[in-house]
Amino acid sequence: LEEIWKDNLDSTTMTSTETAASSSASFLNLAALKEGLKKYGRTGIYVYLGVSFSVTAGWYVAIERNVDVKKLLGLKDDPNREPSWMESLLTGKGSHLALAILCSKVCVPIKVPVAVAMTPYVHRLKEQFFKGWAMKAKV
């Protein structure tokens, strides 16, 4: 029993660099990313750009429709305090596009998996569409 406990203890104690390396390797599998880029090519890039543009446009429309920006950013309204330059930049006039881009950047952890999940379907639809189009052009 003591030997089993020591073996388990030895196998579970990893240095912080080993833990960071293994977690980053599983999170960012560069080989799989390169393989997907070879398989789907430009389609994956176009899908991500489409998703990104859609999210940014959605944020812009929401902000234009008077979404409470201070509440969205978690800023408390204190009348005795002068706003910082960042607060005045984000809540001032003419900053709707800048705020929409900032909110879109915050959504990157959501946008990337959505684009990765959509890419095979979009690639398949693209191949079917252009295959049918090429057949009609030959006739």
Side-chain angles (χ1 to χ4, degrees), residues 8 15 21 30 34 36 39-40 49 51 62 67 73-74 76 81 85 97-98 102 114 117-118 124 128:
N8 286 338
T15 64
L30 293 178
K34 287 180 183 179
K39 185 175 182 180
Y40 298 116
L49 291 175
V51 168
V67 170
L73 295 175
K76 297 191 179 180
R81 188 178 61 92
W85 67 272
L97 182 61
L102 179 70
V114 167
M118 287 176 58
R124 198 173 314 135
Q128 288 175 354

Side-chain angles (χ1 to χ4, degrees), residues 55-132:
V55 169
T56 305
W59 276 111
Y60 182 77
V61 168
I63 292 167
E64 280 289 320
R65 300 278 178 173
N66 295 325
V67 170
D68 189 10
V69 176
K70 287 186 179 182
K71 185 177 180 182
L72 178 72
L73 295 175
L75 302 174
K76 297 191 179 180
D77 207 11
D78 186 11
N80 297 332
R81 188 178 61 92
E82 186 175 323
S84 69
W85 67 272
M86 182 61 99
E87 290 173 353
S88 62
L89 175 73
L90 292 177
T91 59
K93 293 188 177 199
S95 64
H96 295 200
L97 182 61
L99 186 58
I101 291 171
L102 179 70
C103 291
S104 179
K105 292 295 179 186
V106 170
C107 292
V108 167
I110 298 168
K111 292 188 304 185
V112 170
V114 167
V116 167
M118 287 176 58
T119 298
Y121 299 109
V122 173
H123 184 72
R124 198 173 314 135
L125 285 172
K126 182 190 79 153
E127 292 294 321
Q128 288 175 354
F129 176 75
F130 285 120
K131 182 179 177 183

Side-chain angles (χ1 to χ4, degrees), residues 4-15 18:
I4 294 172
W5 183 75
K6 284 182 182 179
D7 289 339
N8 286 338
L9 183 63
D10 290 339
S11 65
T12 58
T13 55
M14 297 172 65
T15 64
E18 289 173 339

